[in-house]
Amino acid sequence: MGFLGKGVPPTQMMNMVMGSLYKQFTQKAINSFDDFHVAVLDIFNNFNSALPGRHFDFPTPDQIKACFARWKEAKDEEEKKKLFIEFMSKSVKPSKLDDVTMITGIVSPPAAMAAKRAGENVPQLKLIKLIPDVIFVPTVTILAIVSAKLSRRMYLK
């Protein structure tokens, strides 16, 4: 990171990142709330696609509307940049796994193996022997996690 282990100070690094984000943000023509909203979502989409591992939650449309109203009222470019950097530093939050997803991910592989072993003895499911464990277990696990997430979202709405 730096010369003799000193590295770049965190505040300086944050200023560089936010400065480049604002530059990317202002390259788009922003004339309405929809343009502003798309530009903010594009930045978060770039975060999530470029950074491996950890992903970030999008701000709510109400938060983006409030930021747009303040951003539009700003008089000069420096004030707009300050508002944008403040909004981004408050809004960039890592997404968290909920307990249901975690438990489903832990319980699904052994349950898939048990279901496969039990299904191999049922005459109607003899074809299940043809599917290798290496394909069956991850597929069932992914399907279980997706269904848990979808049902959780539908339940919470």
Side-chain angles (χ1 to χ4, degrees):
M1 280 282 293
F3 185 69
L4 296 176
K6 300 247 184 208
V8 179
T11 54
Q12 187 178 359
M13 181 67 96
M14 189 68 155
N15 288 339
M16 288 187 329
V17 169
M18 287 299 179
S20 64
L21 280 179
Y22 186 73
K23 194 181 296 180
Q24 175 191 348
F25 179 74
T26 55
Q27 286 176 349
K28 297 174 174 59
I30 300 172
N31 299 322
S32 66
F33 170 72
D34 291 333
D35 297 337
F36 187 85
H37 193 201
V38 167
V40 169
L41 293 180
D42 187 41
I43 287 175
F44 277 89
N45 192 27
N46 288 341
F47 268 160
N48 289 338
S49 63
L51 299 174
R54 181 172 273 185
H55 286 279
F56 299 94
D57 290 333
F58 293 98
T60 64
D62 294 334
Q63 291 173 324
I64 295 174
K65 272 184 187 169
C67 179
F68 177 69
R70 288 185 296 155
W71 187 79
K72 193 150 181 132
E73 291 172 2
K75 292 176 176 64
D76 59 349
E77 224 24 64
E78 193 60 38
E79 190 177 345
K80 287 183 177 187
K81 182 176 180 179
K82 183 181 172 197
L83 283 170
F84 174 79
I85 290 173
E86 178 185 315
F87 173 71
M88 289 303 288
S89 54
K90 277 195 269 182
S91 297
V92 175
K93 295 178 186 143
S95 55
K96 297 176 183 161
L97 282 176
D98 58 342
D99 293 337
V100 172
T101 306
M102 187 67 76
I103 291 170
T104 304
I106 291 170
V107 171
S108 293
M113 285 302 297
K116 185 170 187 227
R117 296 290 175 251
E120 289 174 351
N121 297 329
V122 176
Q124 291 85 358
L125 299 177
K126 287 283 184 188
L127 289 175
I128 207 165
K129 284 185 180 180
L130 298 175
I131 303 171
D133 292 345
V134 178
I135 294 173
F136 185 78
V137 173
T139 304
V140 170
T141 303
I142 289 171
L143 289 173
I145 290 172
V146 167
S147 65
K149 282 190 144 203
L150 287 176
S151 63
R152 182 117 170 122
R153 280 196 181 153
M154 289 169 54
Y155 176 72
L156 291 176
K157 282 187 178 181

